[in-house]
Amino acid sequence: MYLMKTGGVPELLYQPQGYQMSEKVKGIEPAAGSPFIEISPELMHEMLVGDHMFVLYPENDEAESSFKELLETPLWKKLPAVQNGKVTFIESKWNYEDMLTSDMLLDEFPKMIAE
């Protein structure tokens, strides 16, 4: 599991009038040059504590298989956002920083949240 703080979808989410990043996550920096923070299964309950979770899901068979395994684990099922039905799954194709994708995502994002 990776936590993404910058770029693509996070740039849309973490706005002054948007969703707020938890204080714990704000204090952790990704490795140099990476937008991702790797989270071990043991730390999922410490890091993924938000009341809503946005999950980018993969588009290749190998990653999709691992992702499906994660969704069946007891650790995943105990996360607050999962238990409250507040998980929004977003195809990874939306996680680009170009203007065209960002513009289309602004139209699509309300539909994703409504699902």
Side-chain angles (χ1 to χ4, degrees):
M1 174 70 77
Y2 294 90
L3 179 68
M4 194 168 172
K5 286 182 67 172
T6 61
V9 172
E11 295 294 330
L12 172 69
L13 296 174
Y14 302 127
Q15 298 288 327
Q17 296 178 358
Y19 290 91
Q20 300 300 308
M21 190 179 297
S22 75
E23 292 301 318
K24 187 161 199 155
V25 172
K26 281 182 188 177
I28 298 172
E29 291 301 320
S34 174
F36 303 104
I37 300 166
E38 187 170 0
I39 302 174
S40 68
E42 299 81 25
L43 296 178
M44 283 174 54
H45 282 73
E46 292 180 32
M47 303 302 297
L48 305 177
V49 295
D51 60 348
H52 201 120
M53 192 165 33
F54 297 89
V55 178
L56 292 168
Y57 65 89
E59 298 172 347
N60 68 58
D61 293 339
E62 183 180 333
E64 188 173 334
S65 175
S66 296
F67 185 68
K68 285 180 180 178
E69 286 177 27
L70 172 68
L71 296 181
E72 294 302 318
T73 65
L75 286 171
W76 173 263
K77 293 177 181 180
K78 290 180 183 176
L79 294 172
V82 174
Q83 289 184 335
N84 295 321
K86 298 285 187 174
V87 179
T88 300
F89 293 95
I90 302 172
E91 290 179 70
S92 58
K93 71 178 184 181
W94 294 109
N95 197 39
Y96 294 99
E97 296 180 36
D98 64 279
M99 290 176 56
L100 181 60
T101 302
S102 296
D103 187 52
M104 289 187 306
L105 185 55
L106 286 173
D107 291 333
E108 291 297 317
F109 193 71
K111 296 173 195 173
M112 292 175 191
I113 292 177
E115 291 177 0

